[in-house]
Amino acid sequence: MRDQFQARMLRIHFGEGDKWQGKPLYESIVSKCMELGMAGATVYRGIEGYGASTRIHHGSHWTFSKDAPIMLTIIDKEEQIEKLIPHLDTMVEEGLIAMSRVEVIRYSRNPAKVQETPSGRT
């Protein structure tokens, strides 16, 4: 089955070493997304990049660098994204959030899932 709808996408960029209340920031944000009933979140670990600090951040598959760039992507309805923003304002000390409107095409083998909204509510 195929479903198509408008949504918002957040891409949150920060460093792998960033923390929130003693936990890695990416884990804390994913946990908050689950708590708020977000449709889903995916964390990507980058190979290399730089941002406002102009310091190049490296992630190496040969070593366990804690300096790798991280990008966390969340796609959901605008109302759900708006619930998350105040939490990010508190959690993200240094980084960048890019927000955009997106057209989503969702495929599912389960017809019941296509009838649900991105955040799992009908």
Side-chain angles (χ1 to χ4, degrees):
M1 298 291 298
R2 181 181 192 266
D3 188 24
Q4 192 166 345
F5 51 89
Q6 295 288 316
R8 293 291 289 252
M9 178 171 56
L10 284 184
R11 288 186 174 159
I12 308 164
H13 300 263
F14 52 91
E16 186 174 21
D18 292 356
K19 304 256 187 241
W20 171 250
Q21 297 181 342
K23 286 177 44 180
L25 181 58
Y26 60 88
E27 285 182 16
S28 298
I29 294 173
V30 169
S31 293
K32 181 56 70 177
C33 288
M34 287 184 69
E35 180 185 314
L36 294 173
M38 308 291 294
T42 303
V43 178
Y44 301 92
R45 186 175 190 263
I47 296 170
E48 185 172 88
Y50 74 93
S53 71
T54 65
R55 192 176 98 242
I56 295 178
H57 299 270
H58 301 277
S60 171
H61 63 280
W62 301 113
T63 63
F64 291 104
S65 168
K66 291 296 181 192
D67 195 30
I70 296 291
M71 181 178 71
L72 199 155
T73 301
I74 303 158
I75 301 174
D76 207 327
K77 292 215 173 213
E78 187 163 0
E79 306 80 52
Q80 286 296 101
I81 296 294
E82 292 302 323
K83 290 180 191 175
L84 178 63
I85 297 297
H87 298 283
L88 296 176
D89 288 342
T90 303
M91 298 168 87
V92 179
E93 290 182 18
E94 186 174 332
L96 174 92
I97 298 175
M99 189 169 13
S100 56
R101 287 180 170 76
V102 293
E103 182 77 17
V104 173
I105 300 173
R106 178 175 51 190
Y107 297 95
S108 176
R109 292 183 194 154
N110 182 353
K113 283 190 177 188
V114 173
Q115 300 303 317
E116 296 176 358
T117 66
S119 60
R121 295 174 192 81
T122 55

